[in-house]
Amino acid sequence: MLSTLESYAAAVVLAAGLGVVAERLNQPTVVAYVVTGLLAGPAVLDLAGASSLTDGLGELGLVFLLFVLGLEVDIGDMKRLLKPMFAGATAHMLLVGGVGFGLATLLGFGATEALVIGLAVMFGSTAVAVKLMSDNDMLASLPGRLGVGLLLVEDLAVVVVLAVVSAGISLSSLGVGVGRAVLFSGLVAGVSLALSRYMPRILGSTEAAGQRFVVYSSAWVLGFAYLSEIAGIPAELGAFFAGVSLSGFPGSSEITERVRPLSELLLAVFFVNVGLGVTAEQLQSQAVAAVLFSLVIVGVKLVSWLGVLKVLDFSAETSFKTGVSLSQVSEFALVLGAVAASDSVGLIGGEVVAFLTVSAGLTMAGLSYAIVGVDRLFEVGRPLLES
């Protein structure tokens, strides 16, 4: 293995190179970063390994990911979209989670491991779906707007599931996690009201604020993360609420623009670190099972969305295009897996993380091409879908 500096340099260069390749192949950079970790880590070349530094930077990546997610929450959209979308998205997540749990059990995982897998695969990838729909001019279409609304519901569910998994999966942890989240939401609402009056004075004009947006907003999110951990709430949940509290601030788009590069850098470290933590033995033992699982779960997700959207009275074309866009296993599967495998939680081992890593990578990569060719796919399946 290389020295610490050499290993970090090799990983960064490899990640940058694979990122370029991923862009050319119309693939999510998340896949490139995980592959970087697999190649550089003990699974293949053994050039680098996970360390306390990469673990810490990866944790910061999760904090800033949830912060940016909170910043992008539009309260108006939530009021308008959540009510009609909530029932459909919830039914879909329960079905997919149940099937994921059953499949994982059949593949030989224990009850707790299967439950984590079921929870992890419930969600579609907001980052991947929105980017690819934007690249293919789908966001302004009905399937695009519908997909964004459904992803919003799933993103909110991610926050609750993160709280539950971080506390250890049980009915009591569910009640405690949700209860604390509600109490923390009330605190954030009060602070948000105060911010709407005093934040402009703190930051000054957008033009004059400059780098203060990054410094102050970073202090804000890390402060919320610290307070949430003191209160027994996951730091990521506090970061999400920190973002929500600033989402209505006139300069929120400027904050998002300036913080996103830092968030993406730290997230790159997180996803590389996920790959670094997978050994060759774990990868070999879980690869075949993960491939089979991925094929089934994508099919289940697509059929589930077709059924849910048909009940909501959308056309076959809208249902199919929306379903294809949302049927990958999200990067949040890796986030939940990493949290569940952490020393402080300890619900799963490295084999499950390897399983989720392969499943997420395969589905994100495969459905990226499906989204690009969704019009052709619909024409091929039109007789069956409209029957």
Side-chain angles (χ1 to χ4, degrees), residues 291-314:
V291 170
L292 295 175
F293 180 88
S294 299
L295 292 172
V296 175
I297 208 68
V298 166
V300 169
K301 282 192 166 196
L302 180 56
V303 171
S304 173
W305 281 128
L306 289 174
V308 165
L309 296 176
K310 182 177 181 180
V311 170
L312 293 176
D313 205 27
F314 287 98

Side-chain angles (χ1 to χ4, degrees), residues 108-172:
F109 291 102
T112 300
E113 294 173 329
L115 184 54
V116 171
I117 291 171
L119 291 172
V121 300
M122 291 193 305
F123 313 107
S125 173
T126 301
V128 173
V130 170
K131 182 180 185 303
L132 289 172
M133 286 191 291
S134 176
D135 290 345
N136 291 278
D137 299 321
M138 286 179 62
L139 275 182
S141 66
L142 177 58
R145 296 196 306 273
L146 178 60
V148 170
L150 293 168
L151 286 168
L152 174 61
V153 178
E154 292 191 345
D155 286 345
L156 296 176
V158 164
V159 176
V160 176
V161 171
L162 266 176
V164 173
V165 170
S166 298
I169 297 175
S170 66
L171 288 176
S172 60

